[in-house]
Amino acid sequence: MDYQIAKGVFDILPEDPDPEGKWREVFYWQYIEKVARQIAEEFGFQEIRTPLFERTELFTRSVGATSDIVNKEMYTFLDKGGRSLTLRPEGTASVMRAIIDKALYQKSSMMKFYYLLPMFRYERQQAGRYRQHHQFGIEAIGSASPYQDAEVIILLHEFLQRLGLKNLNLWINCLGDHSCRENFRQSLQNYLKPYFQELSPLSQLRFENNPLRILDSKDPKDQQILLKAPSILDFLEKEAQDDFEKICAILRTEQIPYQINPKLVRGLDYYNRTVFEITAEELGAQNSLGGGGRYDHLIHELGGPQLPAFGFGSGLERIIQTMLSQKGLFPPLSFVKVYLIPLDEQAMSFSFSLLTTLRNHHISAEMDLSGKKLKIAMKRADTLKAQYVIVIGEEELHTKQLKLKEMATGNSNLLPLSKIVEVLKK
Ligand code: HAM
């Protein structure tokens, strides 16, 4: 085909013909987006939608010039006015830009936003990594309290629980404040120096500019070298350490299982203090379902006031894939409640007015307009996962008694026309 879909992106369809592509079916997307909205709103967050592209400097400045995202993954282009623009690779920077742009902090110093938005990263193609992925994100701005960290971590945990996900691990770490990271960076470099030649090429590159990211390395040799590396937790300032202990205590009180991982640093430069990630055991290398942390200086660095903040982003593709492989909690799949099949032209007009009546009562209904055989119409009802089917022929027109067939059980219930709405509304 001449017009194949671009690499690393995908269509979300009502039904995907590829058995491996079930996760791309729209039903799953609508469902988890609904649960995400519901839980975000229960926790007091409001939706925000930012533009698909921003000025490139926004991401260079916030995500960080040494990060993989800025270095090699941004979709950057010049517009007709010669300005450099970039397709949003992540949500946090855009939300902070919106807050500063509109001086939203003047109205309230506490802001709680959530988003469900596509992100764009020029990634090497592999399972779990897409060039357009979708995030459910949370940003809580204005509080430095450890309870804020805990609230947001609990929100992500609760979201994944409600979707019925199992075998998850919550990893948490503290990156401390500026002096902690400076001292740790020095100590880590001193430790790694004698091993420099043995490090992977990527870690060698990171050695000068961003040595903390070496801790994230998936290379087995690097991991072996890192076994005896210093731990950032030994460098925490007193206040950071107290807050970190408090966050862990809150998680224990709320019975959220967690594991401290002093090697968790995450790939974006704006974090200080708490960082966290939730991983799924069966996902393989790209196993992070979501992650985030505290970024108390980002708003100020972007030209706004000094406001502490905490958030996360979670990838909807990986969440749906994990739900499907774990047979997670999905509601029964159904695109319409009732499917009407008229058998001839006369039944058509009767069915059409019944269709209108059902819809006026907010019952999702669809009618077969193909004029094809009953067998084909039944197949369509099946594709739409209709809960009920009503076949309307001469007899039904005459008696005004309709057979409501429940598709899951095959049982039929004979009802007078006047009772149909009442029964379907139950
Ligand atoms: P991130 O770790 O880069 O963080 O992305 C968050 C989540 O998005 C990941 O845990 C993963 O589930 C998903 N994800 C990332 N890249 C891809 C990809 N190429 N394909 C599929 N899924 C992907 C952030 O973006 C931060 N803005 C999170 C945050 C919000 N921190 C504070 N507030």
Side-chain angles (χ1 to χ4, degrees):
M1 221 252 285
D2 286 343
Y3 303 107
Q4 273 179 0
I5 190 164
K7 257 190 179 176
V9 296
F10 53 90
D11 298 308
I12 298 173
L13 303 167
E15 224 172 336
D16 196 296
D18 175 1
E20 296 291 301
K22 269 215 115 27
W23 62 273
R24 295 186 294 251
E25 294 185 357
V26 74
F27 167 77
Y28 302 114
W29 290 81
Q30 288 177 341
Y31 173 62
I32 72 164
E33 283 166 8
K34 189 168 135 191
V35 176
R37 281 180 199 290
Q38 209 168 7
I39 186 158
E41 286 167 19
E42 281 171 24
F43 274 65
F45 288 81
Q46 289 181 315
E47 187 175 4
I48 184 165
R49 302 185 194 193
T50 61
L52 212 66
F53 55 82
E54 301 272 358
R55 290 173 195 272
T56 301
E57 311 85 79
L58 173 68
F59 300 116
T60 330
R61 191 70 206 274
S62 53
V63 176
T66 62
S67 67
D68 285 351
I69 294 181
V70 169
N71 261 325
K72 33 186 193 193
E73 295 172 359
M74 295 210 300
Y75 278 93
T76 297
F77 58 97
L78 291 181
D79 72 2
K80 288 194 165 43
R83 299 172 201 90
S84 179
L85 300 173
T86 293
L87 299 187
R88 174 183 57 215
E90 63 103 49
T92 314
S94 303
V95 174
M96 298 312 121
R97 195 264 316 130
I99 289 173
I100 300 167
D101 241 14
K102 296 279 180 329
L104 299 182
Y105 47 82
Q106 284 179 349
K107 228 173 144 206
S108 161
S109 61
M110 280 293 297
M111 290 157 276
K112 293 172 80 175
F113 295 117
Y114 78 88
Y115 48 86
L116 281 157
L117 294 171
M119 310 291 164
F120 304 85
R121 297 183 190 179
Y122 188 79
E123 300 263 19
R124 203 164 48 82
Q125 237 184 336
Q126 55 176 303
R129 273 198 189 278
Y130 304 94
R131 291 188 176 172
Q132 174 176 341
H133 75 277
H134 300 75
Q135 282 189 20
F136 166 42
I138 283 285
E139 313 293 351
I141 301 104
S143 170
S145 162
Y147 284 96
Q148 184 63 84
D149 304 42
E151 180 190 48
V152 173
I153 296 172
I154 290 170
L155 196 163
L156 178 58
H157 179 264
E158 174 64 18
F159 174 53
L160 301 173
Q161 291 296 305
R162 272 193 212 179
L163 298 175
L165 288 168
K166 296 180 288 278
N167 309 331
L168 302 183
N169 291 303
L170 164 59
W171 306 98
I172 177 166
N173 190 22
C174 183
L175 303 179
D177 294 317
H178 187 69
S179 70
C180 159
R181 280 194 304 284
E182 270 312 300
N183 295 338
F184 177 64
R185 180 193 161 100
Q186 195 59 59
S187 160
L188 185 63
Q189 277 176 330
N190 291 344
Y191 170 81
L192 290 173
K193 214 173 241 160
Y195 302 104
F196 184 83
Q197 293 306 332
E198 296 164 53
L199 288 173
S200 65
L202 183 60
S203 292
Q204 288 187 353
L205 270 179
R206 287 174 169 162
F207 183 84
E208 271 311 323
N209 293 335
N210 201 347
L212 266 66
R213 282 304 312 280
I214 298 179
L215 295 174
D216 257 354
S217 169
K218 302 243 166 22
D219 182 281
K221 188 83 192 287
D222 288 354
Q223 286 184 353
Q224 188 66 30
I225 295 171
L226 288 166
L227 282 177
K228 294 212 170 94
S231 163
I232 193 159
L233 296 175
D234 294 330
F235 291 76
L236 296 183
E237 301 85 350
K238 168 93 177 71
E239 208 186 312
Q241 171 145 17
D242 289 349
D243 277 3
F244 187 53
E245 279 167 16
K246 178 79 189 161
I247 294 158
C248 293
I250 302 169
L251 293 177
R252 286 195 299 276
T253 308
E254 298 298 320
Q255 297 182 350
I256 309 285
Y258 68 88
Q259 295 177 65
I260 295 176
N261 176 3
K263 295 205 167 68
L264 178 69
V265 287
R266 297 190 40 76
L268 302 102
D269 285 359
Y270 46 64
Y271 295 116
N272 65 311
R273 296 216 180 174
T274 321
V275 284
F276 78 104
E277 220 157 71
I278 297 188
T279 56
E281 282 170 14
E282 52 260 271
L283 266 184
Q286 302 310 320
N287 63 356
S288 172
L289 294 183
R294 186 159 275 294
Y295 50 97
D296 291 334
H297 308 293
L298 181 57
I299 302 178
H300 187 57
E301 274 162 25
L302 292 175
Q306 180 66 46
L307 277 174
F310 193 96
F312 73 73
S314 61
L316 302 188
E317 291 74 8
R318 294 183 194 173
I319 294 176
I320 298 175
Q321 288 165 358
T322 314
M323 285 178 78
L324 284 167
S325 73
Q326 293 187 354
K327 312 223 173 336
L329 293 178
F330 287 113
L333 175 57
S334 170
F335 296 107
V336 290
K337 184 146 189 179
V338 53
Y339 194 68
L340 307 179
I341 306 178
L343 292 180
D344 55 31
E345 195 54 37
Q346 245 191 323
M348 205 74 158
S349 122
F350 177 90
S351 299
F352 199 75
S353 23
L354 177 56
L355 184 71
T356 309
T357 308
L358 292 170
R359 288 173 175 170
N360 286 347
H361 284 86
H362 310 295
I363 296 166
S364 72
E366 169 71 314
M367 163 176 157
D368 185 65
L369 295 175
S370 71
K372 298 238 167 77
K373 293 209 171 74
L374 178 61
K375 210 168 129 194
I376 296 175
M378 285 301 281
K379 225 173 140 190
R380 171 98 180 119
D382 216 42
T383 311
L384 291 173
K385 315 278 186 236
Q387 289 173 38
Y388 298 96
V389 165
I390 305 176
V391 179
I392 300 164
E394 231 174 86
E395 195 183 329
E396 285 75 17
L397 290 186
H398 181 66
T399 59
K400 304 281 186 294
Q401 298 273 328
L402 303 179
K403 232 189 250 166
L404 186 67
K405 180 173 173 176
E406 191 177 14
M407 295 297 275
T409 58
N411 295 339
S412 288
N413 192 1
L414 192 64
L415 294 167
L417 176 62
S418 56
K419 284 268 175 217
I420 289 284
V421 167
E422 189 188 318
V423 170
L424 285 172
K425 275 234 138 183
K426 270 189 194 152

